[in-house]
Amino acid sequence: MAAKKEDVTFSGLLKEINAKKFRPIYVLHGEEGYFIDRLEEAIVENALSPDERDFNLNIIYGADVTDIRNVISMCKQYPAMAQHQVVVIREAQVVGKLNNKGNANELNQLKHYAAQPLTSTILVVCNKGEAIKGKEFVDAVKKNESGVVFRSDKLREGRPMELAAMDYIKSQGCSIDEKALSMLSSNVGNDISRLYTEIDKLKILVKDDKRITPELIEKNIGISKDYNNFELEEALSRRNAKKAFEIINYYEKNPKANPTVVTVSMLFGYFSKLLLYRAATDRSQAGLMAAVGTKSAFRVKKFEEASRYYNTLACVNIISWIRECDTKSKGIKSRQDANALLRELIYKILTS
């Protein structure tokens, strides 16, 4: 049975594919091309040995599809001396456009195949950069439970990247603490390809406990375990001015490793959630966790500590200053140095 929509994740699908549990049809679409490429690659590598690919791997580009019936005919063929054949349609977003048939209409013809696909064929439809237009085809895949539809969304910096990292780390049989997770996600921004590459490197280097630690990240990725956005957040939450400015000094000496835009984004996310924490009407732990969008009791406790130092008005003012810093650091109505702007912002936060 096909997975429910909310259960379809990159890590879950990758784990399933690596275990050689294949669906007859994979519809991979969305803005983030990395996930789509990685899943396609995993399907081919796990379904076919190198020797089997000569006769059982068919890669078709959307611009070359003049009649989708030819693709359906290909899918209905049986593999040659192998358990599976794999048919990949890359750039499905341009299927039918060159011969003016209409992208959606042409793709929708695949609904007839989706009603009764050949189980020895694995059809992979890759539609990068946008949502797939063939709604009837997609609906047929879901209705007949003949495959899986995965939407590959672009991830934002901050918590979405942290959640993606955590999900992938768990799927690899490893674990990571909150500080190490923050160090890792802050360093890569929203570059999902780099995030997964760094995790793949770290999982080879972990000890027997399979734990990714700040020390491991510092040694192998070059991020300081003492001077990073996690530690800056900790220092500000306790109004520890000495530690906060030590971190800012370090940032000024290492600007490439600590871009101001990433730090400002982190600060905006943190103080926005602190404001939500203060405004929450349900003061139970579950209610507070829901208000700030976390499953971590540790993180809620951190907001509780910070709320002793920052009242509601202070949070509102801080968020306004962060927005101003972000605008000016991008050169809008200001030519002030980004590091100087960040230093000024930290001073305002600590004295709010």
Side-chain angles (χ1 to χ4, degrees), residues 60-157:
I60 310 153
Y61 286 86
D64 297 328
V65 178
T66 56
D67 191 332
I68 202 72
R69 288 175 296 183
N70 294 332
V71 177
I72 295 173
S73 177
M74 188 181 294
C75 290
K76 290 183 176 180
Q77 295 175 9
Y78 288 94
M81 296 176 289
Q83 187 175 358
H84 295 100
Q85 74 154 335
V86 178
V87 177
V88 179
I89 303 178
R90 290 179 180 170
E91 301 176 3
Q93 64 272 17
V94 298
V95 166
K97 283 189 176 180
L98 296 185
N99 54 10
N100 297 317
K101 288 188 176 181
N103 175 253
N105 290 336
E106 193 72 0
L107 280 175
N108 278 333
Q109 299 308 307
L110 287 171
K111 68 183 180 183
H112 304 296
Y113 177 73
Q116 197 170 3
L118 199 63
T119 55
S120 59
T121 293
I122 302 172
L123 171 62
V124 187
V125 180
C126 303
N127 194 107
K128 290 196 286 188
E130 59 186 42
I132 195 165
K133 297 293 195 300
K135 185 178 184 302
E136 293 177 21
F137 165 51
V138 171
D139 289 346
V141 172
K142 294 176 180 178
K143 178 182 177 181
N144 295 286
E145 299 183 346
S146 51
V148 62
V149 179
F150 171 71
R151 178 156 183 161
S152 181
D153 292 322
K154 203 86 174 174
L155 297 180
R156 300 188 306 277
E157 294 178 12

Side-chain angles (χ1 to χ4, degrees), residues 27 30 48 57 89 120 127 130 139 144 153 166 180 187 268 272 278 313 316 336 351:
V27 180
L48 300 171
L57 174 61
I89 303 178
S120 59
N127 194 107
E130 59 186 42
D139 289 346
N144 295 286
D153 292 322
M166 179 70 80
N187 182 256
F268 179 80
S272 294
R278 294 194 60 85
L313 180 59
V316 171
Q336 200 170 351
T351 57

Side-chain angles (χ1 to χ4, degrees), residues 153-305:
D153 292 322
K154 203 86 174 174
L155 297 180
R156 300 188 306 277
E157 294 178 12
R159 198 59 183 169
M161 287 293 286
E162 289 185 1
L163 293 173
M166 179 70 80
D167 185 43
Y168 186 62
I169 288 165
K170 285 183 178 179
S171 75
Q172 300 303 302
C174 299
S175 61
I176 188 169
D177 62 37
E178 188 161 350
K179 178 178 178 178
L181 182 63
S182 177
M183 288 171 63
L184 186 61
S185 60
S186 294
N187 182 256
V188 301
N190 68 341
D191 187 341
I192 195 71
S193 175
R194 185 180 170 204
L195 175 68
Y196 280 67
T197 299
E198 297 292 9
I199 293 172
D200 286 340
K201 180 167 68 175
L202 291 168
K203 75 181 182 184
I204 298 172
L205 301 170
V206 293
K207 296 180 179 179
D208 292 340
D209 61 0
K210 302 289 185 182
R211 189 168 189 81
I212 297 174
T213 63
E215 291 75 18
L216 190 70
I217 292 173
E218 181 179 45
K219 183 178 179 181
N220 296 283
I221 301 181
I223 310 169
S224 171
K225 67 180 176 63
D226 297 315
Y227 302 108
N228 55 71
N229 282 337
F230 181 89
E231 291 296 334
L232 179 60
E233 184 182 282
E234 285 282 303
L236 292 176
S237 69
R238 297 173 182 174
R239 284 196 191 271
N240 185 340
K242 181 176 182 295
K243 179 65 175 178
F245 282 112
E246 282 179 357
I247 295 169
I248 296 304
N249 290 337
Y250 178 84
Y251 283 6
E252 289 180 354
K253 294 175 183 176
N254 301 273
K256 289 185 178 179
N258 304 278
T260 299
V261 65
V262 175
T263 302
V264 171
S265 176
M266 177 278 292
L267 292 172
F268 179 80
Y270 180 73
F271 282 99
S272 294
K273 288 184 178 180
L274 179 57
L275 182 60
L276 291 172
Y277 174 89
R278 294 194 60 85
T281 53
D282 183 352
R283 305 306 294 180
S284 67
Q285 187 175 74
L288 292 170
M289 287 169 72
V292 299
T294 184
K295 294 182 180 179
S296 169
F298 169 79
R299 192 155 181 82
V300 168
K301 186 176 181 182
K302 205 157 84 167
F303 284 121
E304 179 186 355
E305 293 174 352

Side-chain angles (χ1 to χ4, degrees), residues 44 47-59 74 77-82 84-86:
V44 172
L48 300 171
S49 69
D51 292 338
E52 292 172 336
R53 293 171 199 170
D54 288 339
F55 297 102
N56 297 289
L57 174 61
N58 294 285
I59 297 177
M74 188 181 294
Q77 295 175 9
Y78 288 94
M81 296 176 289
H84 295 100
Q85 74 154 335
V86 178

